Amino acid sequence: MAESLLPGEAPVSLNEARCWLRLGATIDDAVVAGLVRAATSICEAFIGQWLIVRAGAEILSPTGGAFQPCARPIVGIDGVMLLSPGGGDVALDEDDYRTVIGRDGTARVTIEDLRDATRVRIAYRAGIAEGANGIPEAIRQGIVRMTQHLHDARDGAGAAPPAAIAALWQPWRRLTLGGGR
């Protein structure tokens, strides 16, 4: 499972969400900020991609010396570390592994000599854009609308999210057949 080491910037500001919800200044700021974070997480899960570029890491088991982190889109591999069964960690030099990043944002890291490692830790950066302004407007609009849905349903109303949200996010949805995302 991909782990983000940093929380990342929100693609929708608190002011944008507050205005969409027609709330006055500083009313329920903590609640609205939490709803924006939740809506962003829902969006990332739906489209299968991280929005704002941030650092992440995964610990993977070897399968033939090739590893594919599940976070997408990968923009760079920052480091690879071999994890031995006895607890010893060995950081690899860039010459000790090969990295291929596809146009779709998938990355493949190949290590020729795993030594006695039973697992590998791959550190990377992943995300669609460097900042909120680089996120496509349809994705941002979907997050605002999901924030509204979550705000309206916070008292336990169990209505499903509007289909318009999925329609806004659908063009950026990345799925693969098999075990990958």
Side-chain angles (χ1 to χ4, degrees):
M1 174 121 208
E3 169 191 342
S4 174
L5 301 178
L6 302 171
E9 178 184 346
V12 173
S13 73
L14 181 61
N15 284 336
E16 288 175 287
R18 197 181 318 115
C19 287
W20 182 264
L21 295 171
R22 297 183 182 105
L23 297 176
T26 70
I27 295 177
D28 292 334
D29 276 358
V31 171
V32 174
L35 294 175
V36 168
R37 286 190 305 273
T40 300
S41 293
I42 292 167
C43 175
E44 287 183 340
F46 182 84
I47 68 173
Q49 300 185 76
W50 289 3
L51 296 176
I52 306 293
V53 173
R54 61 187 186 264
E58 291 180 46
I59 296 176
L60 303 167
S61 297
T63 52
F67 305 88
Q68 188 169 350
C70 67
R72 290 184 12 180
I74 302 284
V75 296
I77 300 295
D78 295 329
V80 177
M81 184 173 288
L82 300 177
L83 307 176
S84 299
D89 302 343
V90 177
L92 296 180
D93 292 329
E94 288 184 24
D95 297 338
D96 295 332
Y97 60 91
R98 285 188 329 248
T99 301
V100 176
I101 299 176
R103 290 175 31 185
D104 64 350
T106 57
R108 184 177 179 90
V109 177
T110 305
I111 304 169
E112 295 296 326
D113 182 13
L114 289 171
R115 303 171 195 171
D116 66 340
T118 56
R119 295 177 301 153
V120 174
R121 183 178 187 277
I122 299 175
Y124 52 79
R125 285 168 285 108
I128 292 174
E130 289 292 333
N133 289 334
I135 299 297
E137 206 53 45
I139 291 177
R140 291 170 31 82
Q141 183 61 217
I143 291 170
V144 168
R145 288 173 179 253
M146 180 58 80
T147 301
Q148 178 184 13
H149 170 74
L150 295 172
H151 186 266
D152 293 346
R154 70 188 184 282
D155 293 327
I165 296 170
L168 288 165
W169 292 341
Q170 189 65 38
W172 288 273
R173 192 168 194 188
R174 300 291 175 247
L175 298 174
T176 62
L177 298 175
R181 264 194 346 155

